[in-house]
């Protein structure tokens, strides 16, 4: 084997190890409960999201035309994305003492969940993080940040694409918020 060939082999091995280490370091934040239409996880490379797939910290979930997805976060929170939305999971940390899924829905947790609404909208109910003022639950938007405390709410960022949002009729650009239970703070 030539020196150049062995250098290429060593480089390839180092790259493969780095990529597998990065993949192993990815942290699950939730999973897809429901997927309809064209929904992708904007990773490198982007992959279609299917029911049951893990959603990880750093993932951006993108829904296409006439497409929807519902994500169950590991603290029991639910996020239902509308068509033509982009929603990124920035941070998610749940204390080890709180089990994911069903246990989390009945528990208060001092964890953290931070997401960014990049486009479109969603409806959500909080889980253990943010319940009764515990932990930090926030959603960043292009014009401000939502602080959430034990609630059910809807947030839609319209940019001329919200003809189906009753509060935005006629469809005007802007942020539309609705609280169905509890309270939110927008700053």
């Amino acid at each position: 084997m030539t020196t150049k060939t062995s250098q290429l082999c060593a480089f390839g091995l180092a790259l493969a190890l780095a990529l597998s280490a990065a993949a192993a370091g990815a942290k699950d934040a939730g999973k897809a409960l429901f997927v309809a239409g064209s929904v992708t996880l904007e990773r490198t490379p982007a992959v279609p999201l299917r029911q049951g797939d893990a959603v990880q910290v750093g993932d951006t979930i993108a829904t296409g035309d006439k497409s929807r997805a519902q994500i169950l976060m590991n603290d029991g929170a639910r996020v239902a994305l509308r068509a033509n939305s982009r929603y990124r999971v920035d941070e998610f940390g749940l204390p080890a003492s709180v089990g994911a899924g069903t246990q989390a829905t009945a528990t208060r947790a001092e964890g953290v969940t931070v997401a960014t609404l990049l486009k479109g909208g969603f409806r959500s109910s909080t889980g253990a993080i943010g319940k009764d003022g515990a932990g930090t639950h926030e959603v960043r938007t292009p014009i401000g940040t939502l602080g959430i405390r034990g609630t059910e709410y809807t947030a839609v960022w319209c940019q001329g694409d919200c003809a189906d949002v009753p509060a935005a009729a006629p469809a005007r650009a802007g942020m539309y918020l609705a609280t169905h239970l509890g309270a939110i703070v927008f700053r």
Side-chain angles (χ1 to χ4, degrees):
M1 190 161 31
T2 67
T3 303
K4 186 168 186 141
T5 304
S6 62
Q7 288 174 335
L8 285 173
C9 287
F11 174 74
L13 180 60
L15 180 61
L17 288 172
L19 290 173
S20 66
K27 181 179 173 189
D28 287 354
K31 69 178 181 179
L33 279 184
F34 173 82
V35 177
S38 174
V39 182
T40 58
L41 288 176
E42 294 179 348
R43 295 176 175 163
T44 305
V47 296
L49 181 65
R50 305 277 185 244
Q51 184 176 342
D53 286 352
V55 174
Q56 300 172 342
V57 172
D59 280 347
T60 298
I61 305 155
T63 57
D65 286 340
K66 299 179 183 175
S67 301
R68 297 174 295 142
Q70 187 177 83
I71 309 302
L72 174 63
M73 303 303 288
N74 286 343
D75 73 332
R78 292 176 187 257
V79 180
L81 297 168
R82 65 191 304 268
N84 298 308
S85 295
R86 290 183 67 233
Y87 180 91
R88 183 178 63 228
V89 179
D90 297 315
E91 295 179 48
F92 187 87
L94 190 59
S97 61
V98 178
T102 57
Q103 179 190 350
T105 59
T107 306
R108 265 179 98 237
E110 296 293 334
V112 61
T113 179
V114 178
T116 301
L117 176 64
L118 301 162
K119 178 183 178 195
F122 65 94
R123 181 173 176 152
S124 182
S125 61
T126 55
I129 299 171
K131 184 181 270 190
D132 299 325
T136 299
H137 182 123
E138 70 178 39
V139 177
R140 299 170 181 152
T141 74
I143 61 168
T145 301
L146 288 158
I148 295 99
R149 292 289 179 250
T151 190
E152 293 179 20
Y153 66 101
T154 299
V156 180
W157 172 242
C158 293
Q159 292 298 290
D161 56 354
C162 291
D164 63 333
V165 177
R172 294 181 10 187
M175 175 61 67
Y176 294 87
L177 303 169
T179 307
H180 311 291
L181 176 67
I184 59 176
V185 176
F186 186 75
R187 57 185 189 281

